[in-house]
Amino acid sequence: MAAAADAGLDVAAVESFLERHPELVEKWLKRKNSPPKAPAAPAAGPSEELRSSGGPGGGWGSAGGPGGPGPGSGGLQRRASQKELRKSFARSKAIHVNLTYDEHVHARAQEPLSSVRRRALLRKASSLPPTTAHILSALLESRVSLPQYPPTALDYKRYLKEHNERQFFLELVKDISNDLDLTSLSYKILIFVCLMVDADRGSLFLVEGAAAGKKSLVSKFFDVHAGTPLLPCGSTENSNEVQVPWGKGIIGYVAEHGETVNIPDAYQDRRFNDEIDKLTGYKTKSLLCMPIRNSDGEIIGVAQAINKTPGGAPFSDDDEKVMQMYLPFCGIAISNAQLFAASRKEYDRSRALLEVVNDLFEEQTDLEKIVKKIMHRAQTLLKCERCSVLLLEDIESPVVKFTKSFELLSPKCSADADNSFKDNAEKSSSYSDWLINNSIAELVASTGLPVNISDAYQDPRFDAEADQISGFHIRSVLCVPIWNSNHQIIGVAQVLNRLDGKPFDDADQRLFEAFVIFCGLGINNTIMYDQVKKSWAKQSVALDVLSYHATCSKAEVDKFKAANIPLVSELGIDDIHFDDFSLDVDAMITAALRMFMELGMVQKFKIDYETLCRWLLTVRKNYRMVLYHNWRHAFNVCQLMFAMLTTAGFQEILTEIEILALIVGCLCHDLDHRGTNNAFQAKSGSALAQLYGTSATLEHHHFNHAVMILQSEGHNIFANLSSKDYSDLMQLLKQSILATDLTLYFERRTEFFELVSKGGYDWNRKNHREVFRSMLMTACDLGAVTKPWEISRQATELVTSEFFEQGDRERSELKLTPSAIFDRNRKDELPRLQLEWIDSICMPLYECLVKLNVKLKPMLDSMAVNRGKWEELHQKRLPSQAASSSSFSSSFTMSLKDIN
């Protein structure tokens, strides 16, 4: 105004003239604000545009604002009235709305219709409320990322800084407002900050972990200078992050307190942390550090300018004002980029969940296959080192017990990456080492609440000792319950250790919970399918049983109820060398009745005599007419048990409940035997194998059949037992019948042999009594080998004939070549096979029983005689193989597998 006064102008008159002619002001402003053509190289020296004095950036702190005239400027200058500024701004908005840089206007005119359509869709989305759903809808409809507008050249920005600071500021704001890629946006912000305040270097740290309550500052760009290209190179983009703890160093201080820090010499400030200098090899002197806030005023990052040029001079107050004006725009741009990244992430995860649904409902017939798919998908979605799925044994029980566990280890974490990749790193077992005492999984299964642990060793619920034993170091844990359609917990899913080393965040938890909903449906459907299969198999078996068997008639019951039962001495059933073929079918019923009475079972357990007769007759009727595993075999096993109990004095050692379970178990241990073994059921895929599985298939069926008879009307011989005695008896009965499986015998006999040989047997210990009862059942089941030679040989011929019939079925129905013991074409090998049977299976058992009770020695002696007979036959028939004992074990191993 002083210059205007010196020129003799009436300021009031000039203002009045301009207010009457606003179009002149508009034209003048348009002419002055139009960007001049950038020269090839910006000329050095002072700008001829209207600027305030005071050096670079000084105009930003003047009263006139960006680009405005300041005091001390030459020529005619005035501050526009607020009214004129509003008019000018409105006209400018009307002219420039939806326009970008001039150099892109022509390019847009050449865009294809599809691109125009997509941009229209994005504008449509921008008019909707800013929710994730609307953004995702627009992205899905357009099928493109948000368009990127290349920024103008740095040289042009430097030119604008020297000649038109207002346009320079607008260019910087427009450049960052068009970029929704957080990486490139962060890079641009650093370059522009360096350019604005003449800093040599800059760094930008963004706040992470705010939702989890563990804030930290993270940056991938901490060594950027104004001469760096605007787009980050690949090596920088993939470089390791730099992480600063919250409140540590100057950056942490600014983030925590929200204050600006301007330090002329960083090393003189105690808050300065030189770790980054050591990391980059760069020497920090002057430093300007300022917080970046979002629209809600929350600190979302920290921008730092380092070493003002030239010579690391201190940053001025005008530099602070420049950054204070620019960083709010940066905060808005960063928030938008973070929202866009979150929306894209949600979109990608939604697509992944759709793929999960497709996968799960493609395979619903095999539980293991569907769980493997679940674990593969979980690792892909959450990028974790380890994933596991644990299924509950009983969803109705208040006691949490997992019956099946599956786990998948990422190939990156395997000791042998090649092998783990080849095998898919899958380790499935009933219980893996690190899941045996998984307290966190049990907690989730019992409460139904998810558990997200960011630092496992700091959480009291985590078992650090078990983790150290397993050899796998757990850092973070995310465990959620798996629900079925009835809102019942059927298991838990657990992921461990994100591959990037960070803890699982809220987004991971939400995704995993949504993922597990579909997994629960898939697992539940698979379990239901398996139940339907088992129900069909059970129905098939039941129909088969009912079509063949029937209960005994009333006349039969009345006949035995009124009959006189011979004494034990008359029947000879207390003799270990009892003739298995001496009694007819009716005499065996009366002998069985005598054994119950002699042992005091009828009186002790108040068994109704008519019910006992009916039960025995029905049990006899439920044995099929096969060659060996028939009613006679069941009775002979029971007779030998009776003889051993009474002869060896075991009756005084075992409880009455145990004795009853053993006697009933002997009579029922081969109920509904079909003349084929467990191996045949598995090979043929019979209904029994589908119902009971391939482990002790027939033994489970025998027990269930015994239970079915007991539950039939008028057959419950245990009806007068107390609830506890009944429960204990049924458990003992099951153990007794399952003990006749030779696989179980081999699993437990080593324990029994060691106890007897070391003299460590204790009748008062429950597990010692259990293994002893199991050995008694096996000894009675194989007892034919201890009978006199003629009886033993006759029994051997019967069982061999039954085996041959199975071998014939294997050859005709299954198209398989039977092993030697089932092949009637190799019947001349029977003596050799009997020698192997006696030496490997029978002899060790009876020798051990004799050590336990010498009264059983006649059984061992008789077996030794029988072995000698088989040895003679073997030498007569196959003299060339008499000394080939070395070949016995190899052929026998295969035969034993088939026999069971």
Side-chain angles (χ1 to χ4, degrees):
M1 289 303 173
D6 293 340
L9 294 176
D10 187 348
V11 174
V14 172
E15 289 184 349
S16 176
F17 174 80
L18 291 175
E19 288 179 355
R20 290 195 305 271
H21 300 85
E23 66 278 2
L24 297 178
V25 177
E26 179 183 346
K27 290 179 181 179
W28 184 83
L29 289 173
K30 285 183 179 179
R31 186 172 67 255
K32 300 303 292 181
N33 289 333
S34 60
K37 185 176 181 181
S47 171
E48 295 180 2
E49 297 293 334
L50 296 176
R51 301 184 58 198
S52 63
S53 59
W60 299 102
S62 62
S73 300
L76 177 62
Q77 299 182 8
R78 66 181 292 274
R79 178 179 298 177
S81 66
Q82 294 295 326
K83 181 179 179 181
E84 289 303 324
L85 286 175
R86 285 196 297 272
K87 288 182 180 179
S88 177
F89 177 78
R91 293 190 187 97
S92 176
K93 288 292 288 184
I95 294 171
H96 297 288
V97 65
N98 289 333
L99 295 182
T100 57
Y101 310 103
D102 294 339
E103 59 265 37
H104 300 302
V105 173
H106 178 70
R108 287 192 179 183
Q110 303 299 324
E111 286 181 343
L113 290 177
S114 60
S115 179
V116 175
R117 173 181 167 274
R118 290 169 181 170
R119 185 172 288 106
L121 289 170
L122 291 168
R123 284 199 298 271
K124 171 186 172 184
S126 66
S127 65
L128 296 171
T131 64
T132 302
H134 293 130
I135 296 173
L136 283 175
S137 176
L139 288 172
L140 289 170
E141 195 173 2
S142 66
R143 299 181 182 177
V144 294
S145 302
L146 201 69
Q148 300 286 318
Y149 304 110
T152 53
L154 278 176
D155 289 341
Y156 176 55
K157 288 183 172 60
R158 291 192 180 95
Y159 178 81
L160 289 179
K161 180 183 178 184
E162 297 295 326
H163 297 83
N164 191 337
E165 290 180 341
R166 182 171 181 264
Q167 186 65 27
F168 167 69
F169 188 88
L170 291 175
E171 287 290 331
L172 299 189
V173 172
K174 283 193 292 185
D175 261 3
I176 62 172
S177 65
N178 286 330
D179 198 339
L180 290 180
D181 181 83
L182 191 59
T183 302
S184 62
L185 174 64
S186 302
Y187 212 75
K188 287 179 185 179
I189 290 173
L190 286 181
I191 296 172
F192 296 161
V193 166
C194 292
L195 192 61
M196 288 168 52
V197 299
D198 294 323
D200 182 52
R201 300 291 171 98
S203 59
L204 177 66
F205 288 80
L206 299 181
V207 177
E208 288 189 1
K214 293 187 176 182
K215 295 182 180 179
S216 63
L217 295 158
V218 178
S219 174
K220 290 185 179 180
F221 305 108
F222 52 89
D223 192 20
V224 176
H225 56 87
T228 309
L230 280 178
L231 294 178
C233 63
S235 61
T236 306
E237 189 175 10
N238 297 325
S239 61
N240 294 328
E241 294 179 343
V242 172
Q243 187 167 353
V244 176
W246 189 258
K248 184 176 181 180
I250 293 178
I251 294 172
Y253 175 86
V254 171
E256 185 178 28
H257 296 88
E259 300 174 4
T260 299
V261 173
N262 189 349
I263 304 173
D265 188 350
Y267 282 82
Q268 299 301 318
D269 193 297
R270 61 180 179 82
R271 297 169 298 181
F272 179 73
N273 187 345
D274 63 348
E275 290 180 2
I276 295 180
D277 274 11
K278 293 177 180 178
L279 183 65
T280 60
Y282 182 77
K283 175 74 172 180
T284 300
K285 186 171 178 58
S286 56
L287 186 148
L288 176 58
C289 194
M290 196 171 293
I292 302 175
R293 302 178 185 271
N294 60 14
S295 58
D296 296 326
E298 298 173 348
I299 296 176
I300 60 173
V302 174
Q304 184 175 244
I306 303 170
N307 292 358
K308 183 175 177 66
T309 58
F315 292 96
S316 64
D317 293 341
D318 289 336
D319 294 329
E320 289 188 33
K321 293 176 182 178
V322 169
M323 285 187 65
Q324 285 175 350
M325 294 179 64
Y326 185 64
L327 291 185
F329 295 98
C330 297
I332 295 172
I334 290 172
S335 296
N336 291 338
Q338 289 174 334
L339 287 173
F340 180 74
S343 301
R344 287 296 300 270
K345 190 174 183 180
E346 289 298 326
Y347 166 68
D348 293 337
R349 289 182 168 186
S350 298
R351 288 191 59 183
L353 285 177
L354 291 176
E355 294 174 0
V356 167
V357 174
N358 182 62
D359 282 350
L360 294 180
F361 290 94
E362 277 184 350
E363 176 59 65
Q364 296 191 39
T365 60
D366 188 290
L367 181 62
E368 186 171 351
K369 288 182 180 179
I370 198 170
V371 171
K372 287 179 181 179
K373 283 189 175 184
I374 289 172
M375 293 189 295
H376 276 291
R377 284 294 179 184
Q379 275 201 340
T380 302
L381 285 174
L382 298 173
K383 297 179 175 58
C384 59
E385 293 182 2
R386 202 163 193 167
C387 176
S388 62
V389 173
L390 298 93
L391 301 182
L392 289 173
E393 183 179 46
D394 185 4
I395 62 176
E396 302 288 349
S397 174
V399 179
V400 175
K401 184 178 181 182
F402 298 111
T403 181
K404 290 184 179 179
S405 67
F406 306 85
E407 57 179 323
L408 179 66
L409 181 64
S410 170
K412 295 182 180 180
C413 305
S414 177
D416 188 347
D418 293 336
N419 291 336
S420 66
F421 180 79
K422 181 178 179 181
D423 299 331
N424 295 325
E426 292 159 4
K427 301 174 182 178
S428 179
S429 58
S430 59
Y431 278 102
S432 60
D433 293 338
W434 67 283
L435 289 176
I436 290 177
N437 297 311
N438 195 333
S439 56
I440 294 176
E442 292 175 355
L443 175 65
V444 171
S446 60
T447 62
L449 300 176
V451 170
N452 189 349
I453 300 176
S454 57
D455 189 348
Y457 277 77
Q458 299 300 319
D459 194 291
R461 298 168 294 184
F462 180 73
D463 188 353
E465 183 177 355
D467 180 52
Q468 293 169 357
I469 295 174
S470 69
F472 179 82
H473 180 64
I474 298 175
R475 300 187 303 273
S476 55
V477 179
L478 177 57
C479 188
V480 299
I482 302 175
W483 305 84
N484 63 11
S485 55
N486 297 324
H487 204 65
Q488 295 173 304
I489 297 176
I490 60 176
V492 298
Q494 184 173 250
V495 288
L496 305 173
N497 298 357
R498 272 177 44 166
L499 291 175
D500 58 7
K502 298 179 181 179
F504 297 100
D505 53 27
D506 291 340
D508 292 327
Q509 181 172 329
R510 288 194 301 270
L511 173 64
F512 200 38
E513 288 176 336
F515 169 80
V516 166
I517 290 174
F518 298 108
C519 296
L521 294 176
I523 292 174
N524 188 57
N525 290 345
T526 306
I527 293 174
M528 290 179 64
Y529 177 82
D530 187 59
Q531 291 174 347
V532 169
K533 281 182 61 180
K534 286 188 175 182
S535 297
W536 173 86
K538 192 172 184 178
Q539 181 183 20
S540 177
V541 172
L543 290 174
D544 186 25
V545 170
L546 291 175
S547 66
Y548 186 88
H549 302 298
T551 59
C552 60
S553 65
K554 186 177 185 303
E556 289 181 301
V557 175
D558 292 340
K559 170 186 172 183
F560 285 98
K561 182 180 177 182
N564 291 321
I565 307 301
L567 298 175
V568 171
S569 58
E570 296 175 11
L571 295 168
I573 55 178
D574 58 344
D575 186 3
I576 287 179
H577 292 149
F578 173 78
D579 185 352
D580 291 351
F581 304 98
S582 62
L583 301 179
D584 59 28
V585 290
D586 285 345
M588 286 188 281
I589 294 291
T590 58
L593 287 169
R594 172 53 65 189
M595 284 188 280
F596 271 88
M597 291 187 289
E598 191 70 20
L599 292 171
M601 300 293 103
V602 176
Q603 298 82 2
K604 170 62 180 177
F605 298 106
K606 300 179 182 178
I607 299 175
D608 181 74
Y609 190 71
E610 181 178 344
T611 301
L612 179 60
C613 294
R614 185 181 296 109
W615 177 79
L616 282 171
L617 288 167
T618 300
V619 167
R620 182 182 71 178
K621 207 170 186 65
N622 278 264
Y623 274 93
R624 300 196 181 201
M625 300 300 292
V626 294
L627 290 173
Y628 181 74
H629 291 95
N630 48 35
W631 163 246
R632 181 173 296 279
H633 168 67
F635 171 79
N636 290 332
V637 172
C638 183
Q639 179 275 323
L640 187 55
M641 178 65 74
F642 175 80
M644 292 177 67
L645 289 173
T646 55
T647 301
F650 294 142
Q651 186 179 2
E652 307 299 327
I653 298 173
L654 298 173
T655 66
E656 293 171 325
I657 287 283
E658 289 175 320
I659 293 174
L660 179 60
L662 289 172
I663 294 297
V664 174
C666 288
L667 290 171
C668 299
H669 83 281
D670 273 334
L671 273 170
D672 194 45
H673 200 290
R674 282 92 188 285
T676 54
N677 61 6
N678 288 332
F680 183 86
Q681 307 304 321
K683 292 175 186 176
S684 62
S686 67
L688 287 177
Q690 294 182 39
L691 179 59
Y692 300 110
T694 57
S695 175
T697 304
L698 289 172
E699 287 72 24
H700 279 99
H701 176 58
H702 302 327
F703 170 71
N704 286 346
H705 201 86
V707 172
M708 183 183 71
I709 294 174
L710 286 169
Q711 291 177 345
S712 300
E713 185 178 358
H715 290 78
N716 189 3
I717 59 176
F718 307 143
N720 293 322
L721 270 68
S722 66
S723 176
K724 181 181 183 307
D725 287 344
Y726 184 86
S727 177
D728 293 342
L729 179 59
M730 295 306 294
Q731 186 66 29
L732 292 170
L733 178 60
K734 183 175 184 179
Q735 291 174 1
S736 299
I737 294 177
L738 294 183
T740 59
D741 178 19
L742 284 181
T743 302
L744 181 62
Y745 161 69
F746 272 96
E747 289 177 359
R748 307 205 67 176
R749 75 173 191 170
T750 302
E751 177 187 358
F752 180 67
F753 293 169
E754 290 179 355
L755 286 174
V756 174
S757 62
K758 295 179 180 179
Y761 197 88
D762 185 357
W763 295 107
N764 295 319
R765 297 187 62 175
K766 182 179 178 181
N767 61 322
H768 289 189
R769 298 173 71 88
E770 181 181 344
V771 72
F772 171 65
R773 292 194 306 272
S774 297
M775 294 302 110
L776 280 183
M777 287 297 299
T778 303
C780 294
D781 194 20
L782 308 181
V785 75
T786 68
K787 297 298 177 75
W789 168 246
E790 293 301 327
I791 300 172
S792 179
R793 180 171 183 173
Q794 187 177 351
T796 301
E797 290 174 352
L798 288 173
V799 72
T800 302
S801 298
E802 186 176 289
F803 284 174
F804 287 163
E805 289 189 0
Q806 175 179 321
D808 295 341
R809 292 185 61 184
E810 289 181 3
R811 184 178 280 108
S812 61
E813 298 176 15
L814 305 181
K815 310 303 179 185
L816 299 174
T817 301
S819 58
I821 199 169
F822 295 93
D823 192 348
R824 66 174 66 251
N825 298 329
R826 301 171 64 181
K827 59 183 178 181
D828 56 335
E829 299 182 31
L830 177 60
R832 175 180 65 83
L833 294 172
Q834 281 299 115
L835 289 174
E836 296 171 0
W837 173 263
I838 293 173
D839 292 342
S840 299
I841 295 180
C842 303
M843 188 70 74
L845 173 60
Y846 293 106
E847 287 178 344
C848 191
L849 287 173
V850 170
K851 290 181 182 178
L852 189 65
N853 193 314
V854 72
K855 294 180 180 180
L856 300 179
K857 192 173 185 301
M859 299 176 69
L860 187 62
D861 295 339
S862 181
M863 182 173 56
V865 172
N866 293 338
R867 190 195 183 285
K869 297 288 187 180
W870 288 115
E871 181 69 34
E872 292 177 7
L873 291 175
H874 173 60
Q875 292 181 2
K876 288 179 181 179
R877 297 189 180 189
L878 298 172
S880 61
Q881 297 182 9
S884 302
S885 59
S886 60
S887 65
F888 291 173
S889 59
S890 60
S891 62
F892 172 73
T893 302
M894 179 180 65
S895 301
L896 174 61
K897 179 180 178 182
D898 291 332
I899 287 173
N900 187 29

